[in-house]
Amino acid sequence: MIHAFEDITLDTALFELRRAGDVVPVEPQVFELLALLVRERGRVVTRDEILDVVWNGRIVSDAALSSRIKAARRAIGDDGERQRLIRTVRGRGFRFLGDVRVAALPAAVAAPALPPEGEGDGADPARAAEALSLPLLDRPAIAVLPFSDATGDGQDNYLADGLTDEVIAALSAWRVFPVISRNTAFRFRGAGQTAQEAGSATGARYLVTGRLVRDGPRVRLWAALIDAAEDRQLWSGRFNRAADQIFDLEEELAAEVVSVLEPEMHNAEFQRVMRKRPENMTAWDLAMRAAWHVNRMTPADLDAADDLARRAVDLDPAWSYPHALIAVAAFQRAMRAWSGAAAETAFVETLAEAQRALEVDRNLWMAHALAGVGELWTHRHYDRALAHVYRAIQLNPSAAWCYHFCGCIAGFAGDLDVALAQGRRVFRVDPAYPYTAVVEADLALWSMLSDDLGEASLHIERALQWDPDYGRGWQRYVALHGLRGDRESSGRGIARLRALDQPVSRDYLASTYPFRNPEHAAVFFTGLRRAGVNV
């Protein structure tokens, strides 16, 4: 549906907010809050209703809710003083006051190309596999069995169930392995079956199990991944959080668990696929091999990944994941050549392949994330790029990529607070993120532009410790020490750039640092000039 009021349109199918025809980037929770208030216009929406819809029933702080309300008002040109469109009804909730016009979308636009796998308690794994155009047996499914409360008193059963739900949702968001529905998986609470029995009963090749223990001020979660067919544990891990923060961080904890689980499942599948004869390769098998090569990131591996993914597309053109892998391989090639490449051409192929993937499945989070990168660097379409990455986060909040790309795009678009927040979230979701040097160097840049030179120094040191040959990191090192008046350090940075054969001309730097805010560009180039760079 499209809801229109004043010069604003809220498109719930495309997850898009526009003012005067221009896309307004908003975070997923802010969009969901706006959609709820607009949909329930004419009555007061209570705090509990907002928590149910926007936070899936989790308890969050008043500050978290207030920040979303503030962001929602700002996105539609309102504020807390006037409350022209969103009014606070003290002690009760919030009410939307705008005059709303509603239009239905044409069926071809309104229906998503492919439904999210395993969505909702009633999800049918057979129907999900059919919608993804691959038979269930060709795509090994995964079941998340109910986590147990091992504390002993049963008081944390609700918490164990909540974490199980979050892990199911997070795994489903990756849209690779079919995820058995909650209703089916929860039938096995405390049932005492073996892994092979549970796998056979659920139709799942892989099982995720977990147990929760409250230990004083900490809550600890042990999780394991099991190959049900072989009755073999593939991985186990331990995670913990402060007990008084567990409700606010429940989604984040699940995302951290899944960030570790997801590559373990891919690795297990790759090992299984490698035992198959080449003439028996299905589209799934080819895609699993392609994913393994993509993650190795060498030029030869990226070429192999591209070839395997295209062969998978030939076998099943309607399956979106191989299309996404082609876009990922293009992105990885661009990243390898990034420091010395022309910015406006480096990600052309990435954008083109991401757009092709979205033609197959417009709800594919990987394609949205990569399209955001392409729109920024190829066309300088800041708002369109942000809309893509916010959509990617909404589709898969467990993917560190999404926060990396969102932080980068938001920073160059001029929103330093969002850039810093999203960049820091990368490491909460994936502490071993492969592009750590890139994110740390970005955080250094946004801190420098925020006039926090001490924080910027910490981030740039981490970036260069992680990757001493990262040219863009050394560019920021030079600018930072120029602003600090440390010519000795900046001179060392300039020498390092020369040794790496990195260009430092004004034209090159202007094209590779596409600041929307001229004041941010002025700070960066002032630092370079003070360091002795002729820009």
Side-chain angles (χ1 to χ4, degrees):
M1 300 292 288
I2 295 178
H3 298 83
F5 52 95
E6 298 185 350
D7 64 343
I8 297 166
T9 57
L10 189 76
D11 187 333
T12 56
L14 293 179
F15 206 80
E16 185 174 82
L17 177 69
R18 290 178 176 267
R19 287 180 64 185
D22 295 327
V23 173
V24 179
V26 292
E27 293 186 8
Q29 288 182 333
V30 175
F31 185 93
E32 290 175 357
L33 174 58
L34 275 172
L36 172 63
L37 294 176
V38 170
R39 185 170 62 247
E40 302 298 331
R41 60 194 175 278
R43 73 173 183 87
V44 176
V45 179
T46 66
R47 184 182 188 276
D48 288 343
E49 287 179 277
I50 293 172
L51 297 184
D52 283 341
V53 172
V54 178
W55 281 276
N56 297 317
R58 297 194 310 278
I59 299 173
V60 301
S61 64
D62 289 339
L65 176 58
S66 296
S67 72
R68 302 307 188 275
I69 291 290
K70 181 179 179 181
R73 284 175 170 147
R74 184 170 61 245
I76 59 176
D78 197 7
D79 58 54
E81 291 186 8
R82 292 181 297 167
Q83 299 190 15
R84 180 173 51 85
L85 292 171
I86 299 176
R87 176 170 296 173
T88 301
V89 182
R90 293 196 178 279
R92 296 187 60 193
F94 302 90
R95 182 182 176 192
F96 189 81
L97 304 178
D99 183 13
V100 178
R101 305 175 302 282
V102 181
L105 288 170
V109 176
L114 292 174
E117 298 168 13
E119 181 175 279
D121 286 351
D124 181 342
R127 289 183 61 194
E130 181 182 355
L132 287 160
S133 77
L134 283 170
L136 183 60
L137 292 179
D138 282 348
R139 298 188 64 219
I142 183 166
V144 184
L145 302 184
F147 292 172
S148 64
D149 171 17
T151 303
D153 55 12
Q155 292 185 5
D156 287 330
N157 281 341
Y158 70 97
L159 182 56
D161 287 354
L163 278 169
T164 306
D165 288 340
E166 290 288 354
V167 171
I168 290 173
L171 281 172
S172 300
W174 285 86
R175 297 173 67 82
V176 179
F177 291 81
V179 180
I180 302 301
S181 74
R182 179 189 193 276
N183 282 353
T184 298
F186 267 65
R187 293 172 187 165
F188 295 88
R189 184 198 301 276
Q193 286 97 341
T194 66
Q196 289 177 321
E197 290 169 342
S200 177
T202 60
R205 170 86 191 202
Y206 299 105
L207 304 175
V208 177
T209 62
R211 59 190 178 93
L212 196 72
V213 176
R214 187 181 292 269
D215 183 13
R218 310 291 295 179
V219 172
R220 307 187 191 282
L221 171 67
W222 282 264
L225 176 66
I226 299 168
D227 184 329
E230 298 182 5
D231 196 17
R232 179 166 59 95
Q233 181 170 300
L234 303 173
W235 164 88
S236 65
R238 185 177 70 177
F239 307 84
N240 68 85
R241 289 290 188 276
D244 60 355
Q245 297 177 327
I246 193 66
F247 292 109
D248 285 343
L249 299 178
E250 197 173 74
E251 180 180 341
E252 185 178 297
L253 175 58
E256 184 180 344
V257 172
V258 171
S259 74
V260 178
L261 270 175
E262 198 270 342
E264 292 291 341
M265 288 186 296
H266 267 90
N267 184 59
E269 266 306 283
F270 173 74
Q271 297 299 329
R272 186 181 70 83
V273 165
M274 286 298 290
R275 296 195 292 268
K276 296 184 69 172
R277 295 178 63 86
E279 60 268 24
N280 296 330
M281 291 288 114
T282 65
W284 170 262
D285 299 332
L286 291 167
M288 287 298 101
R289 288 191 171 201
W292 182 82
H293 283 289
V294 160
N295 290 329
R296 286 169 61 85
M297 294 190 290
T298 70
D301 279 298
L302 295 176
D303 289 342
D306 185 272
D307 176 68
L308 289 162
R310 291 184 189 278
R311 288 166 58 192
V313 167
D314 289 341
L315 288 177
D316 195 335
W319 185 30
S320 61
Y321 184 56
H323 290 273
L325 289 173
I326 295 170
V328 174
F331 168 76
Q332 301 283 27
R333 281 194 293 267
M335 287 296 290
R336 287 187 61 83
W338 169 231
S339 290
E344 62 273 13
T345 60
F347 295 98
V348 168
E349 184 186 3
T350 301
L351 178 58
E353 296 296 350
Q355 289 171 334
R356 289 190 187 98
L358 289 172
E359 289 173 3
V360 176
D361 181 0
R362 67 176 187 171
N363 287 329
L364 189 62
W365 70 268
M366 283 185 283
H368 276 292
L370 293 169
V373 172
E375 291 289 0
L376 171 68
W377 294 107
T378 306
H379 300 304
R380 303 297 191 265
H381 286 161
Y382 301 95
D383 293 336
R384 191 180 300 171
L386 282 169
H388 274 298
V389 291
Y390 280 136
R391 179 60 172 154
I393 291 172
Q394 191 265 340
L395 290 167
N396 188 1
S398 301
W401 263 22
C402 300
Y403 303 106
H404 171 185
F405 298 165
C406 186
C408 175
I409 295 166
F412 284 117
D415 195 333
L416 300 179
D417 289 339
V418 170
L420 288 164
Q422 299 288 1
R424 289 166 182 151
R425 186 170 175 81
V426 169
F427 303 118
R428 293 200 296 272
V429 173
D430 185 356
Y433 187 57
Y435 289 113
T436 290
V438 179
V439 177
E440 288 285 6
D442 283 351
L443 288 168
L445 181 59
W446 316 138
S447 298
M448 180 170 33
L449 298 179
S450 301
D451 199 27
D452 190 345
L453 302 188
E455 187 71 13
S457 182
L458 291 175
H459 285 299
I460 203 62
E461 292 296 336
R462 290 178 196 146
L464 296 176
Q465 285 172 5
W466 188 272
D467 184 358
D469 295 334
Y470 182 45
R472 287 175 68 79
W474 284 107
Q475 291 162 6
R476 295 161 201 191
Y477 178 93
V478 170
L480 171 63
H481 287 291
L483 290 173
R484 302 183 78 168
D486 184 350
R487 292 295 293 267
E488 181 180 351
S489 294
S490 56
R492 185 164 58 249
I494 293 170
R496 185 65 181 145
L497 285 169
R498 288 174 180 155
L500 292 170
D501 198 24
Q502 293 294 306
V504 289
S505 68
R506 170 143 190 121
D507 288 345
Y508 171 77
L509 291 170
S511 71
T512 56
Y513 286 85
F515 298 111
R516 189 184 217 173
N517 186 334
E519 294 181 1
H520 293 164
V523 171
F524 181 66
F525 282 102
T526 295
L528 291 173
R529 281 193 295 271
R530 289 180 181 174
V533 179
N534 185 19
V535 291

